[in-house]
Amino acid sequence: MAPAVTMSSGRVFVVLLILLFSFCQSFVEGTKDYKRKLNVTVNPNSTTPPPGGDLLHVQAVGDNDTLHFLFCSQGAPTLLIVHTNSSTSSVQVNWPQFLSRNVSGGLRVEPRSSIQYSMAVVFSRLLEYDDVNDTAKPDSGFFPPYELQNFNWTRFQLFGAVALVCGKTPEFGNGSLCLKLSVFDSDGRAESWPRLLHSPNSSQLEIWLDGITPRAPNSRFLLELQAVGGDFPLSRVDVRQFIDDEFTPSIFKVSEWVSPAAGGSDVLGYVQWKPVAYRQSSPALEDATPCRYSDPQSQDGNATAASSALIRAFFSTHNVTGLNVSFGLAGEPFYNSTKFLSWTMLVGVGAPPVDTFSPVVLTIMAVGLGTPVILLLLGGVFVCLHKMRKSATAAYQPIN
Ligand SMILES: *[C@@H]1O[C@H](CO)[C@@H](O)[C@H](O)[C@H]1NC(C)=O
Ligand SMILES: *[C@@H]1O[C@H](CO)[C@@H](O)[C@H](O)[C@H]1NC(C)=O
Ligand SMILES: *[C@@H]1O[C@H](CO)[C@@H](O)[C@H](O)[C@H]1NC(C)=O
Ligand SMILES: *[C@@H]1O[C@H](CO)[C@@H](O)[C@H](O)[C@H]1NC(C)=O
Ligand SMILES: *[C@@H]1O[C@H](CO)[C@@H](O)[C@H](O)[C@H]1NC(C)=O
Ligand SMILES: *[C@@H]1O[C@H](CO)[C@@H](O)[C@H](O)[C@H]1NC(C)=O
Ligand SMILES: *[C@@H]1O[C@H](CO)[C@@H](O)[C@H](O)[C@H]1NC(C)=O
Ligand SMILES: *[C@@H]1O[C@H](CO)[C@@H](O)[C@H](O)[C@H]1NC(C)=O
Ligand SMILES: *[C@@H]1O[C@H](CO)[C@@H](O)[C@H](O)[C@H]1NC(C)=O
Ligand SMILES: *[C@@H]1O[C@H](CO)[C@@H](O)[C@H](O)[C@H]1NC(C)=O
Ligand SMILES: *[C@@H]1O[C@H](CO)[C@@H](O)[C@H](O)[C@H]1NC(C)=O
Ligand SMILES: *[C@@H]1O[C@H](CO)[C@@H](O)[C@H](O)[C@H]1NC(C)=O
């Protein structure tokens, strides 16, 4: 009788405890829900669509601050985020200067003194190599890189605070490289894998290679990213591990390329991604392919400013760091198995979002952890009973 009571009450207690905990957690998260008001404009103050690419401006106004998201396809595609401590700061574009791309100042955020932090990410190059021996290493070197600044980019297609742009180069055949930027007014999680968690202080960029003609049957690809900042450039990549792959099946890590503030553990800005790409546009688990990255290295700021109108126009002095993300491991299918590859990242200011356990996982853990505890308790009870009976009989035996 007693063990049965211990078992059921013990398990119920653990489950209740966990449910209470997850309830408190969602309650706390619910109350600190932070929202921003979004205002989306394309080519602000320009009477005609400028030749050579569009400029998207998403103004995300908070209680006492504003985030300006600027996304531009004049040259290499670039995302710039400017954080100001005023809810009335604005963006001013001097179009002739912006388009001539020879001086800084074509795009300003006013008042200048309200700027707290700014950072940009430039999609600079696509690299390709022939992986003849399936080692996933560029043993025989790279093909000439695709410079994204030389692509022909489509006009931005807008769906609310989501912008889509695709680029082509003659070698791609009928294929294209596309970028989709999403800006958010509140916390949430994307619908499609890798289902990254996002906040109103972040934006998500999805990039995919659809139907391009590879230059070898065994081609694999790498994407070169450049991060542009002032005193606190994105300088190191942290990897965070977790035990819950509910939202991104089979992936237990997240990588964060961060800009640490001077001497502190605070993060001012980040690029965050899960080390996975997908070989189908609506992927199943077997279409997932791992990604790796190279260590961030300091790069020539002048070359970056020359490649991107937005960098030239906004920054006067800046630091640039770059890294490569490579897709696929040895033994994995090559690009032309599906002729599709997509990868997703989050870019934002402040601390990157951290996944917490979902109630489903908490319940599973409660059952999983509860059962061994019950078994231990039961075992203890049986050992005690056995010992008691043994010592009761042993009392009459002679001691050796
Ligand atoms: C959105 O921004 C544009 C200029 O960038 C401005 O003219 C317009 O009034 C703003 N709309 C709202 C609703 O704030
Ligand atoms: C915004 O500023 C006002 C006045 O300066 C202050 O009362 C309020 O607490 C601030 N709100 C936030 C969210 O910081
Ligand atoms: C557009 O022009 C108006 C008036 O010249 C100015 O107030 C506003 O800040 C400009 N907006 C941008 C985005 O340049
Ligand atoms: C920048 O280019 C414009 C026209 O392309 C030219 O008028 C201007 O003098 C140039 N400025 C500098 C500093 O080179
Ligand atoms: C915004 O920050 C600047 C310094 O970067 C400071 O001088 C100014 O007082 C701040 N403004 C507000 C409204 O907090
Ligand atoms: C591929 O493997 C073959 C045989 O092992 C070797 O001769 C060749 O050099 C390798 N190619 C590359 C690019 O490493
Ligand atoms: C861009 O398009 C123009 C005309 O459509 C074409 O002449 C040019 O070759 C294209 N350039 C690239 C890099 O695709
Ligand atoms: C591109 O598309 C056209 C028409 O759809 C087709 O005729 C052509 O073969 C395609 N080219 C490649 C390289 O797939
Ligand atoms: C977003 O930024 C605002 C203002 O800096 C801050 O109060 C808020 O906590 C941030 N939200 C998240 C999820 O980081
Ligand atoms: C890969 O490309 C080569 C030619 O480039 C072609 O012969 C082969 O059939 C392709 N493989 C697949 C799976 O499409
Ligand atoms: C670039 O970073 C170094 C330190 O990492 C800093 O001393 C320098 O001021 C930065 N340059 C600019 C233009 O901010
Ligand atoms: C970048 O340009 C500046 C001014 O034009 C020059 O002083 C500097 O040496 C250049 N840096 C590099 C790495 O070329």
Side-chain angles (χ1 to χ4, degrees):
M1 200 62 208
V5 170
T6 319
M7 184 170 103
S8 55
S9 62
R11 184 180 291 199
V12 165
F13 177 71
V14 173
V15 170
L16 277 181
L17 201 73
I18 301 284
L19 285 181
L20 187 72
F21 173 72
S22 61
F23 173 74
C24 288
Q25 194 184 20
S26 59
F27 183 72
V28 168
E29 278 174 0
T31 52
K32 70 172 183 199
D33 203 17
Y34 187 82
K35 278 201 161 250
R36 289 185 180 276
K37 236 175 98 237
L38 304 186
N39 182 1
V40 182
T41 26
V42 182
N43 304 320
N45 274 13
S46 172
T47 42
T48 54
D54 285 328
L55 171 68
L56 173 80
H57 175 212
V58 182
Q59 185 165 355
V61 184
D63 292 335
N64 287 335
D65 71 343
T66 304
L67 283 174
H68 296 279
F69 294 89
L70 292 142
F71 186 49
C72 186
S73 57
Q74 292 266 347
T78 303
L79 172 67
L80 166 69
I81 307 181
V82 184
H83 186 206
T84 68
N85 64 358
S86 148
S87 50
T88 55
S89 61
S90 67
V91 165
Q92 318 268 313
V93 187
N94 178 332
W95 279 103
Q97 231 177 62
F98 188 86
L99 295 175
S100 73
R101 288 170 65 173
N102 56 5
V103 285
S104 161
L107 185 145
R108 284 172 298 131
V109 172
E110 298 287 354
R112 210 182 143 70
S113 64
S114 71
I115 299 178
Q116 304 296 296
Y117 176 70
S118 59
M119 62 98 83
V121 178
V122 180
F123 295 84
S124 43
R125 299 197 295 177
L126 180 70
L127 305 168
E128 179 182 3
Y129 64 96
D130 185 4
D131 192 7
V132 242
N133 290 344
D134 196 5
T135 56
K137 291 194 193 82
D139 299 318
S140 50
F142 290 102
F143 288 113
Y146 291 117
E147 299 281 348
L148 269 53
Q149 58 172 313
N150 298 331
F151 280 26
N152 272 348
W153 297 99
T154 61
R155 294 274 150 204
F156 286 174
Q157 266 180 282
L158 285 189
F159 319 91
V162 175
L164 171 67
V165 60
C166 291
K168 275 179 186 299
T169 187
E171 296 96 320
F172 274 8
N174 287 344
S176 54
L177 181 157
C178 296
L179 293 148
K180 190 167 95 177
L181 172 78
S182 313
V183 182
F184 312 101
D185 63 350
S186 58
D187 290 316
R189 186 185 296 282
E191 276 304 312
S192 54
W193 286 0
R195 303 213 57 199
L196 295 181
L197 195 65
H198 57 70
S199 82
N201 299 343
S202 65
S203 57
Q204 178 176 292
L205 259 163
E206 193 184 340
I207 179 162
W208 65 91
L209 292 174
D210 189 6
I212 69 180
T213 309
R215 285 176 279 187
N218 293 4
S219 274
R220 294 193 194 276
F221 288 93
L222 290 86
L223 182 68
E224 184 188 78
L225 299 176
Q226 295 178 331
V228 183
D231 291 337
F232 307 108
L234 301 191
S235 54
R236 62 157 207 263
V237 179
D238 296 338
V239 177
R240 206 198 294 267
Q241 309 247 6
F242 42 89
I243 59 168
D244 178 7
D245 75 338
E246 185 187 356
F247 297 108
T248 319
S250 82
I251 301 300
F252 297 92
K253 277 184 191 168
V254 64
S255 300
E256 290 163 0
W257 187 14
V258 297
S259 134
S265 57
D266 279 359
V267 166
L268 299 173
Y270 60 87
V271 175
Q272 183 195 59
W273 66 88
K274 288 193 175 178
V276 63
Y278 296 100
R279 285 189 298 261
Q280 295 283 359
S281 54
S282 35
L285 186 52
E286 61 267 26
D287 304 315
T289 190
C291 311
R292 292 167 299 163
Y293 62 88
S294 63
D295 283 332
Q297 284 182 346
S298 177
Q299 294 195 339
D300 175 11
N302 291 349
T304 306
S307 74
S308 160
L310 193 49
I311 300 299
R312 169 71 81 210
F314 180 74
F315 290 98
S316 46
T317 55
H318 56 272
N319 277 327
V320 178
T321 52
L323 60 70
N324 293 334
V325 179
S326 59
F327 307 107
L329 299 181
E332 296 246 315
F334 302 105
Y335 176 77
N336 89 335
S337 66
T338 58
K339 293 205 168 176
F340 187 90
L341 196 61
S342 86
W343 180 66
T344 304
M345 66 190 218
L346 206 68
V347 188
V349 301
V354 181
D355 258 319
T356 49
F357 292 121
S358 71
V360 175
V361 169
L362 287 171
T363 312
I364 292 170
M365 276 166 58
V367 174
L369 289 178
T371 311
V373 168
I374 305 311
L375 288 178
L376 271 177
L377 279 175
L378 273 179
V381 166
F382 279 123
V383 167
C384 272
L385 284 177
H386 189 69
K387 276 207 164 157
M388 272 161 70
R389 214 166 39 208
K390 212 175 165 191
S391 60
T393 48
Y396 301 100
Q397 304 283 323
I399 300 157
N400 293 337

